[in-house]
Amino acid sequence: MHLAKQVLQGKTDLTSEEIEQLVGTLRDQYKGLLNVVETPRRNVYYVGDLHGELHSAQAAHKLLQDSRDASMVFLGDYADRGPQQVETINLVFSLAIEYPKRVIALRGNHESDDIARTYGFYNAVKSKYSPDVFDIYCSGFKVLPLAGLSSNGIFSCHGGIPEGVETLDQIQEVDRFHEKIQNPIAFQLTWNDPSEGDFRFSPNWRGSGSRIYGRLAFNEFAESFELNLMFRAHQVFPEGVQTFFDGKLISVFSSAYNNRVKPKIVHLRDGLKIDLIQI
Ligand SMILES: [Mn+2]
């Protein structure tokens, strides 16, 4: 049986060779995708940070099984920090492989060689396999698209709006195929945070290169890209979800994070209506 299908049926103990095969399949499937991929207009589940919580990835899988015409956008941050990092990322990659028309896995700031080396994934992979297997996963990070955009004006990415971007081409022209996220536009798409203040951009406590985007930046970006809604993840909110800018930006977090969060998945229904799903 197809390896990704075996993972979806509960196989968690992959060999190094099987990981190489799984990530290789994802690379082949994703390397031709644009930086900003087209996402469906309706009936889409948006999944926020998973951070190695397999239970949350399994809940997402169940939603896909229960509704056969639904799609799913994973907003990044699959490993690091949590208890079952290898199993969680394998499940997300397997969903992306098995349902290429229904599932898209975007890149988060933790899908970067330097960050994954620091926040747990490298050690998790090294203790179970070897540093070579970590490199295999990093070769998968670099093919993940940076954002999604639907024809009815729904934008999605892990972090948010990058400073200085006014056209879609500016994002599409980024060379994303590096293990480490370095390009400033790619970096900000995966790192930036929103704030309700009436300003464009301000420095972010997360460090140099990352910015906070305020209401003015959001409104200008939304106008340039003709947006109706935006989904992002990246930030911990106790209820697992937080809206900004009169409900036009929805931030979602899908892992419990040591019981600090009531994890959520957001369902976009017809007419831009939103349902919150408690995991
Ligand atoms: Mn993040």
Side-chain angles (χ1 to χ4, degrees), residues 49 77 109-110 158 234:
D49 297 38
D77 283 13
N109 63 312
H110 284 262
H158 182 72
H234 194 41

Side-chain angles (χ1 to χ4, degrees), residues 56-74:
S56 292
Q58 287 169 335
H61 181 201
K62 184 159 192 317
L63 287 171
L64 277 173
Q65 286 175 314
D66 289 348
S67 173
R68 295 199 169 270
D69 60 348
S71 302
M72 188 164 277
V73 177
F74 286 97

Side-chain angles (χ1 to χ4, degrees), residues 200-212:
R200 286 191 172 77
F201 291 91
S202 68
N204 194 328
W205 61 269
R206 293 183 193 266
S208 63
S210 126
R211 309 285 283 158
I212 289 175

